[in-house]
Amino acid sequence: MDVTLHLAQDPQADALLGRSPLAALTGMLLDQQIPMEWAFKGPATIARRMGADDLDAHEIAVMDPEAFSAKLSEKPAVHRYPGSMAKRVQQLCQYLVEHYDGDAEAVWRGVDSGAELLRRLEDLPGFGRQKAQIFLALLGKQLGVSPEGWREAAGAYGEPGSFRSVADITGPESLAKVRAHKQEMKAAAKSAKAPGK
């Protein structure tokens, strides 16, 4: 895996996401309740604070939870909720060590169907169905991982030419389109909940 991603809108952080499967999974895990660029800068920030160029699932999995949480909590914090997200990142790394010998790319390497890949992603700690579908779409659209039926398994996120999620961000222009789509979705949801609807 060595591609150019533009999710963090920061060249160094994006370079790590493009070459490190664990960084990409970690960025996706962090992508909730904060701006997506902040989430996808997180893996590079964690690596830097650990004195490394990349994330190591084995190292993170066995780290003292308080020490790891402190690294994510340093200012500026990696996430709005650094303590709970530190726990989730460690759980993800522990799962990868237990099931894939710490090799994040093994989650999708050699998978021959989109349905199987979706199942594997949904099994990851912190990955619900929507997050798994978005990451599957990112793998298919930008990382060259396209087992049979991947678009169907990714649902609406797999549609070509859509601007629904991080899977569709290739630069500032597409980021703006994804943001606009998310704002439309929030407005529609708010409108649906309004009294008298």
Side-chain angles (χ1 to χ4, degrees), residues 10-136:
D10 171 280
Q12 199 173 5
D14 280 328
L16 177 60
L17 295 170
R19 73 173 184 270
S20 167
L22 179 56
L25 277 175
T26 301
M28 191 73 228
L29 180 68
L30 294 171
D31 186 21
Q32 59 189 55
Q33 298 179 305
I34 58 172
M36 59 187 112
E37 302 96 313
W38 184 7
F40 284 97
K41 276 183 193 168
T45 303
I46 296 168
R48 189 169 54 253
R49 290 178 185 172
M50 293 184 74
D53 294 328
D54 196 355
L55 300 179
D56 182 312
H58 291 277
E59 185 181 352
I60 293 170
V62 298
M63 215 173 151
D64 173 70
E66 286 184 22
F68 187 63
S69 179
K71 291 201 180 294
L72 273 69
S73 300
E74 283 175 33
K75 301 290 183 208
V78 168
H79 195 276
R80 181 178 291 151
Y81 305 107
S84 62
M85 293 314 286
K87 186 177 179 182
R88 285 189 175 194
V89 171
Q90 274 199 295
Q91 288 170 337
L92 173 65
C93 289
Q94 289 161 352
Y95 182 91
L96 291 171
V97 167
E98 187 180 333
H99 296 270
Y100 296 100
D101 195 27
D103 178 5
E105 193 171 7
V107 174
W108 54 85
R109 187 187 305 115
V111 173
D112 50 16
S113 81
E116 170 65 10
L117 179 49
L118 180 62
R119 187 192 62 73
R120 287 186 181 195
L121 291 168
E122 285 181 306
D123 285 346
L124 297 174
F127 277 67
R129 185 166 190 86
Q130 183 181 35
K131 195 175 284 280
Q133 286 185 311
I134 291 170
F135 195 79
L136 198 164

Side-chain angles (χ1 to χ4, degrees), residues 130-171:
Q130 183 181 35
K131 195 175 284 280
Q133 286 185 311
I134 291 170
F135 195 79
L136 198 164
L138 177 66
L139 288 170
K141 289 180 173 183
Q142 297 197 47
L143 299 174
V145 178
S146 50
E148 189 175 337
W150 74 268
R151 284 192 191 275
E152 293 76 10
Y157 301 106
E159 291 173 7
S162 65
F163 293 96
R164 296 178 187 278
S165 72
V166 297
D168 305 302
I169 297 172
T170 55

